[in-house]
Amino acid sequence: MKIYSTALTLTLILSPFAFGGCPTSSERFQQGSTRDGSGETTRDARATESAPIKVSEINTNGLRELLGRPAQAKRPLLINFWATWCEPCREEFPDLVAIDREYRSRGLDFVTISLDDVSDIDRGVPQFLREMGATMPTYLLNVVDPEMAISVVDQEWSGALPATFLFDAKGTLVYRRFGRIKPPELRAAIEKALNAKP
Amino acid sequence: MRRNYALALLLLALSFIAVVAWQGGDGAMRAGIKIGESMPDFRLPDLDGKEHSLSSLRGKNGTVLIFISTQCPVSNAYNARMEKLAEDYGARGIAVIGINANATEPVDVVKRHAAEHNLKFTILKDHGNKLADRLGAQVTPEAFLFDASGKLVYHGRIDNSRDESQVQSQDLRDAIEAILAGRQVAKTEARAFGCTIKRAS
């Protein structure tokens, strides 16, 4: 009886941190690694602390390639979709910057994808990133029809912003959040993905 | 031995919770009404506080429910297009009804916004986002088209781009034209980026 109650107590304490582990179908994230040169862009866009902020365009193929990362990646990948016109996106951004600071050195890749107009690629988007002190690679999705891009990321996603997805080192989607993130929940999912044996 | 047993039990409980947490998840899988299912009947107040049942507002040839927002720039980019849609198809027996389910947008704000932007179609306030939950609406703008018999025949975006000059795919209009012509709707679902509906709680 005591064992049960101890287990139950622990379970209740730990339950908010228990997100993630159930494997889901990852086939669609693995397929279609087309070589269209966006692999190169990935490295270019990886800003360092001192480098100027450069936002690169990405299309559906580039997005597909980003998600179906080559085998050498082996790091969990966090992706946040946002826009400067999206209020909850702006509100949650400082939390995302803090998460990037904390976890990048511990093995997390973090990329953000802006849904702003392409005319903002040199102005509004980098300006916002600068204000936030953000240094994670950021792309601007430039597609005429967003349906395919949304599908490539997650069939369950309606396209509502913000949206945040965590893929483990194997490329399996292990966590998703539509709407403003809950930092403790996201951190727990990241910890879990980082601690998982590849 | 006792300790091992407790540990095993704990792990079992944790994995169960992980599964439940993932399935039940963070807001909002695309659960809700499916293509071919019937329009649920709800009673919702308009912007003057008068209650309507959805069934009483149905159009002779079909009904469009569009979730809208006063604050979302994407929804606002569609104000003129939505009003035009209501005008174009109202005369052809299609009722266009706006639904505001955002907990952060009180009815007086919605009313003022509609007046300012010349939205003349009926707008209902979905307090507590009950209708949004039942339909599985997540984003603004997001449309649900029901045919004359009240079956869902199209769900999703109005068209492919918030920038009207980039529109190439008139998904909602195409679906309406199909039901008016007695044809099957070719594309029954299509998505675009928009703002998350801000739910109560």
Side-chain angles (χ1 to χ4, degrees), chain A residues 107-156:
Chain A
L108 178 73
D109 282 343
F110 184 8
V111 171
T112 83
I113 306 218
S114 151
L115 281 311
D116 283 277
D117 289 334
V118 73
S119 61
D120 273 324
I121 196 163
D122 296 322
R123 293 178 294 164
V125 177
Q127 188 187 327
F128 177 75
L129 293 171
R130 210 156 22 241
E131 282 166 17
M132 289 288 129
T135 56
M136 54 279 220
T138 293
Y139 296 94
L140 186 143
L141 185 69
N142 188 9
V143 291
V144 175
D145 191 329
E147 170 65 33
M148 190 58 80
I150 295 169
S151 289
V152 161
V153 180
D154 185 0
Q155 286 292 352
E156 298 292 335

Side-chain angles (χ1 to χ4, degrees), chain A residues 145 147 151 157 161 176, chain B residues 26 30 157 160 191 194 196:
Chain A
D145 191 329
E147 170 65 33
S151 289
W157 183 23
L161 297 181
R176 62 161 77 84
Chain B
D26 319 281
R30 288 204 300 158
R157 67 197 189 187
N160 67 293
R191 291 169 286 175
T196 303

Side-chain angles (χ1 to χ4, degrees), chain A residues 89-101:
Chain A
C89 303
R90 299 174 67 99
E91 287 167 3
E92 72 175 2
F93 222 87
D95 288 327
L96 293 172
V97 171
I99 283 171
D100 181 55
R101 291 247 161 83

Side-chain angles (χ1 to χ4, degrees), chain A residues 25-26 29-30 67-69 75 167-174:
Chain A
S25 120
S26 63
F29 303 115
Q30 308 284 12
L67 295 171
R69 293 166 303 156
R75 286 160 67 101
F167 297 87
D168 68 11
K170 284 180 277 193
T172 305
L173 178 62
V174 292

Side-chain angles (χ1 to χ4, degrees), chain A residues 3-4 10-11 18-19 24 85 115 144-147 150-151 154-161 174-176 178 185, chain B residues 2 5-6 10 13 17-18 21-22 26-30 73-74 138-139 157 160 162 168 190-194 196:
Chain A
I3 294 167
Y4 273 91
L10 273 168
T11 304
F19 278 76
T24 55
W85 46 256
L115 281 311
V144 175
D145 191 329
E147 170 65 33
I150 295 169
S151 289
D154 185 0
Q155 286 292 352
E156 298 292 335
W157 183 23
S158 63
L161 297 181
V174 292
Y175 176 84
R176 62 161 77 84
F178 304 138
E185 196 180 279
Chain B
R2 254 171 87 96
Y5 179 62
L10 176 64
I17 285 164
W22 177 250
D26 319 281
M29 307 300 91
R30 288 204 300 158
V74 184
Q138 295 299 328
V139 57
R157 67 197 189 187
N160 67 293
R162 63 190 275 248
Q168 294 183 345
R191 291 169 286 175
F193 297 108
T196 303

